[in-house]
Every structure is written in structure tokens, then in C-alpha cells.
Amino acid sequence: MDLRFSAEERAFQKEVRAFLDENLTEELREATRKTTTVFVDKDIALAWQRILHEKGWVGYFWPEEYGGTGWGPAKRFIFEAECARAGAPGLIPLGLKYVGPVIFTFGSAEQKRHFLPRILSGEDYWCQGYSEPGAGSDLAAVQCKAVRDGDEYVVNGTKIWTTHAHFANWIFCLVRTAQGARPQEGISFLLIPMDSPGVTVEPIITLAGDHELNQVFFDDVRVPAANLVGEEGKGWQYAKFLLEFERGGGSASVKLKEELAHVRKLAALQPSDGGRTMMERERIADGLADIEIEIMALEMAELRIMSALSAGKNPGAQASMLKTVATEIEQALSELAIDILGPDALPFVTERPLYGPSSRRPLRHPEGEAVMAQYLNKRAATIYGGTNEIQRDIIAKMVLGLR
Ligand SMILES: Cc1cc2nc3c(=O)[nH]c(=O)nc-3n(C[C@H](O)[C@H](O)[C@H](O)COP(=O)(O)OP(=O)(O)OC[C@H]3O[C@@H](n4cnc5c(N)ncnc54)[C@H](O)[C@@H]3O)c2cc1C
């Protein structure tokens, strides 16, 4: 196992840095810094996506034949790491990272021809219809029903916690097309236009006050049978494939390092007692050091996994390890940021978006303005993408071989 980058990879790293210096605007950086939600807003994400699309880098983990870069794991890692280091907005993964790979791996020729270029360009904006009120951790319990009627399916049911459904023009859904002997049987993977008659979207406002989540209702929604991905009843296989992309195999450590640097800056600015800053308080300094060590260990795990992956292979159960560790570090860091700011964290909860021109009262430290909302939002990190308890179950079974 070699964790060092080759000369070619280092040259590529330089090329990415130069591109970011030239193309990543301060406006996009600021919006990213002040985003309080899991994903940046649609307009910010699409502005960045269009810049990358023009360069040909937006499908950076897609094969070349579908308009991707064809990069191997090392280049993908370098690219993600450099983007995070430069403070670029995260690309919305719903199309690019989740449904895109499902379509190019399992979809029909027509689905590939139609959807893939539109995902890369951002013309189509997707949301994910997996969870239901009675099917979250136990995802195979999905009840949203699709009944075949001639050349169409008729869909009835509901999906919940649907991120960005209010922006999306398409939703990929796990639907029940049959009742099998096992709950995993009889699930299908269906692509549904959000403007179909019978689709309604109700907002869910988060603890942090943001509108990011929704509940989506399907009431006799007619969907062309051509929108079925792969085989009817095989949806569970495609769903699991997608979840491995959702959970990891990335470079969360780099983003966490940037966040750690930001929290250190807050600690150095925030007054404490006796003319000291919070940085000089032992508990805070120790907390920051502990988190830095955790991030370094995560980085090593990411590099090890990246080094072991051959191009095109998905990350498997290792993704569960990365997801668990990265999200727990993320939460610990956001808790420390609140400890550092204390009551100064409080007034900044309600106004959105923070990067807009809205007038605000002066802050003691503008650097801290997103801290409370980010802290509240990050409570969800150990829930979405499959809760960390479920990830630990997967690790126990698939990595440690425990039954
Ligand atoms: C911010 C956010 C965004 C999301 N976006 C989307 C989206 O876009 N699309 C989508 O489909 N879903 C989305 N989700 C839903 C998410 O996938 C589910 O919330 C998650 O899978 C947990 O399901 P649940 O909420 O039904 O909790 P439950 O499954 O009811 O779990 C409740 C608690 O019980 C624990 N638990 C359950 N089963 C076990 C077990 N076997 N062993 C140990 N503990 C267990 C869980 O860990 C959890 O603590 C999102 C969620 C959040 C918070």
C-alpha cells in the first residue's frame, strides 16, 4: 500500500489548484462558508457546477464514455480535497453522485442518453425518495406502491425527509411493485418527474430554521414504465449500490481540517477571562488537539481506502466506517465552536440566507455568525445516509465478521 502521490498526481494537484485560483469566486467561497444546511443552496451549487462543467470536470467520478473524466481514485481524491481546501461549494450529490452512477450502471440505453448529459449540465435537479414515515433504518419496509397499468405505473404513497424536493424536477424512488417473501424483494427503482399530476411537496423546517427537507406525496401519479431502472423487483440491489456512494469513499478529512482551522480562529478571537482568549484555556486547546488527531486518523483511513480502490469500484462497507467517524468528528467540532462562543453564538440562529444582502446587527466576530445554525444542523449528520447505529451494525457484520 503506497499512500504517497506520484509525480503525475502531484502535477495534477497543481493544475487543480491553478484552476481553483482562477475560477472560484469570493462570492461562492463566502456562500459556502456561511451555509448552515447539509447542501448549499441550489443557485450556488449550480453556479459552481456550470463552471466545472465547462472545464469538463463535473463528472469527476464518471467514466469518460458518459461524459465523465474517467479519473481513478487518486485523482478523484485530489480533486475533492483541493476543492474543499479552497472552500468551493459542494456539488449537490443527488444527481451526480447518487442517481447518475445508478443510471450509467443499471439504466437502459435510452435512460443513459437522455438523463446523463442533463445531470452533468445541471439541467435536471434530482431528489432522493428512499425514506418513508415507516421506513428509515428499516428501508426495505417501503410501502409507496407502483402498480403496473399498461405502459405506465400508478404510484401512491409518500416519501419523507426529501432533501431539496422543493427545488427538484425529478425524484428517484424506491417503490413497492410486489410483496415478496422477504421485504427486500418486490422493490423497484423508478424515476418520477416532479411536475407529474398528483405529486405534492410539503416543507419540513429543521431545528436550525432552514427549509431543506420535505415530505412528498404521490396520489395516483402515472409514470411511464420506461422510467423503471433495471429490472422490476431488483430495486434493492440498485438502492444498496447507491448508498455506498452516499456514505463515503471521499475526502471528508480535508473539509474537516478547514473547519478545524476556522474553529481555531474563533478560539483565538474570543475573549476569555483575565485578558486571555478561549484558545489559551486548557479545555479548549485540549479539545482542539483531540479533534485534530481524530481528523489525522480519518485522513489516513481515507487514503488507505482510496489506495485500495481500483477505478470504478464502489467503496463497500468501508463507506460505513468513514461515514461514522467523519460525522462524529463534525459534531464534536461544532460543539466545541459553541463552547468557544458561548452566549455570542445565540443571536445568529434565525436570519437566512447569511450570504445575502439582508441587513444585520453588527456581530462581535463575523467569523462566528453561522456557528449556531451549523451546530443545530449537524445534529442530523449522524442520522442521514443511514444512522450511525445502523453503520455500526454494517461494520460489525461486513468488516468485523460478527453476526
Ligand atoms: C437532514 C436529513 C436529510 C435527509 N435526506 C433524505 C433524502 O433526501 N431522502 C431520503 O430518502 N431520506 C433522507 N433522510 C432520511 C434518513 O435516511 C433517515 O432519517 C434515516 O435513514 C433514519 O431513519 P428514520 O429517521 O426513520 O429513523 P428510525 O429508523 O426510526 O430510527 C430511530 C432511531 O432508532 C435507531 N435504530 C433503528 N433501527 C436500529 C437497529 N436495527 N439497530 C440499532 N439502532 C436502530 C436509529 O439509529 C435511530 O437512532 C434524511 C434525513 C435527515 C436527518
Side-chain angles (χ1 to χ4, degrees):
M1 180 177 63
D2 187 356
L3 299 183
R4 288 165 306 183
F5 292 125
S6 66
E8 192 210 332
E9 285 156 2
R10 284 197 302 275
F12 172 71
Q13 187 174 42
K14 260 184 154 172
E15 187 190 346
V16 176
R17 280 186 189 166
F19 174 81
L20 288 165
D21 280 349
E22 203 164 308
N23 291 281
L24 181 61
T25 63
E26 186 43 40
E27 188 197 355
L28 290 175
R29 278 202 175 103
E30 192 192 355
T32 308
R33 227 175 16 249
K34 293 181 177 175
T35 288
T36 57
T37 44
V38 181
F39 299 150
V40 296
D41 265 3
K42 180 185 175 182
D43 53 344
I44 298 298
L46 287 185
W48 182 231
Q49 182 166 339
R50 278 192 281 270
I51 293 170
L52 289 178
H53 188 238
E54 202 169 299
K55 174 74 177 165
W57 282 358
V58 79
Y60 67 92
F61 38 78
W62 289 29
E64 278 172 282
E65 62 178 308
Y66 301 124
T69 57
W71 293 340
K75 280 191 168 176
R76 294 198 299 253
F77 182 91
I78 290 169
F79 178 72
E80 279 192 1
E82 291 306 320
C83 287
R85 190 170 291 134
L91 290 168
I92 304 293
L94 295 156
L96 289 167
K97 211 167 185 178
Y98 302 171
V99 78
V102 170
I103 292 175
F104 66 63
T105 308
F106 304 106
S108 67
E110 177 52 24
Q111 286 167 348
K112 291 178 195 176
R113 193 198 59 73
H114 177 77
F115 288 113
L116 297 178
R118 297 164 67 95
I119 292 174
L120 290 175
S121 68
E123 193 174 343
D124 283 342
Y125 195 93
W126 287 83
C127 62
Q128 177 182 27
Y130 272 28
S131 307
E132 296 178 10
S137 302
D138 186 12
L139 187 58
V142 289
Q143 292 303 322
C144 185
K145 215 184 235 173
V147 177
R148 185 76 185 242
D149 181 23
D151 287 344
E152 293 176 322
Y153 285 99
V154 182
V155 180
N156 280 287
T158 183
K159 295 290 172 182
I160 196 163
W161 315 120
T162 325
T163 306
H164 284 198
H166 53 307
F167 294 137
N169 61 333
W170 281 89
I171 182 167
F172 55 90
C173 276
L174 293 184
V175 290
R176 186 154 293 288
T177 41
Q179 211 65 51
R182 295 167 60 239
Q184 290 82 354
E185 292 166 15
I187 292 175
S188 299
F189 197 104
L190 196 61
L191 313 177
I192 305 178
M194 290 295 279
D195 63 358
S196 309
V199 175
T200 45
V201 178
E202 296 287 342
I204 299 174
I205 304 303
T206 66
L207 183 66
D210 291 299
H211 178 198
E212 164 173 47
L213 302 172
N214 304 276
Q215 182 162 5
V216 183
F217 297 89
F218 302 90
D219 190 8
D220 283 334
V221 175
R222 301 193 79 86
V223 181
N227 290 7
L228 179 78
V229 175
E231 285 178 56
E232 189 180 285
K234 293 272 169 68
W236 187 249
Q237 183 192 333
Y238 318 140
K240 280 201 310 187
F241 170 87
L242 182 149
L243 281 172
E244 288 172 12
F245 282 93
E246 181 170 352
R247 286 173 187 158
S251 52
S253 60
V254 184
K255 190 158 171 276
L256 286 167
K257 274 193 212 167
E258 295 304 311
E259 287 176 15
L260 176 67
H262 180 66
V263 177
R264 274 196 205 288
K265 191 170 161 194
L266 288 178
L269 284 169
Q270 185 72 6
S272 180
D273 43 21
R276 296 190 306 167
T277 66
M278 289 299 275
M279 193 61 189
E280 291 162 278
R281 285 182 57 172
E282 211 170 286
R283 188 175 63 79
I284 299 297
D286 283 356
L288 287 165
D290 284 347
I291 289 175
E292 185 167 14
I293 292 164
E294 295 284 334
I295 296 173
M296 286 162 72
L298 174 66
E299 185 182 23
M300 282 300 116
E302 286 177 342
L303 286 169
R304 185 170 47 77
I305 290 165
M306 185 265 303
S307 161
L309 284 178
S310 61
K313 215 169 142 191
N314 52 336
Q318 310 263 23
S320 297
M321 288 164 46
L322 299 185
K323 194 260 170 183
T324 307
V325 175
T327 51
E328 288 174 6
I329 296 175
E330 216 180 327
Q331 290 188 343
L333 193 53
S334 71
E335 280 164 31
L336 201 56
I338 295 293
D339 281 355
I340 289 165
L341 288 189
D344 280 347
L346 285 175
F348 315 131
V349 185
T350 50
E351 289 183 26
R352 298 290 182 292
L354 291 171
Y355 54 84
S358 56
S359 67
R360 308 172 46 78
R361 77 178 178 80
L363 306 174
R364 194 142 85 154
H365 305 304
E367 292 77 7
E369 65 190 336
V371 163
M372 178 54 95
Q374 285 168 344
Y375 163 81
L376 292 172
N377 188 278
K378 283 179 198 296
R379 300 309 89 200
T382 46
I383 301 173
Y384 57 69
T387 69
N388 284 19
E389 290 80 10
I390 294 298
Q391 303 317 309
R392 286 190 163 86
D393 273 355
I394 295 172
I395 295 164
K397 276 190 210 145
M398 311 292 290
V399 182
L400 303 176
L402 303 171
R403 293 281 151 187

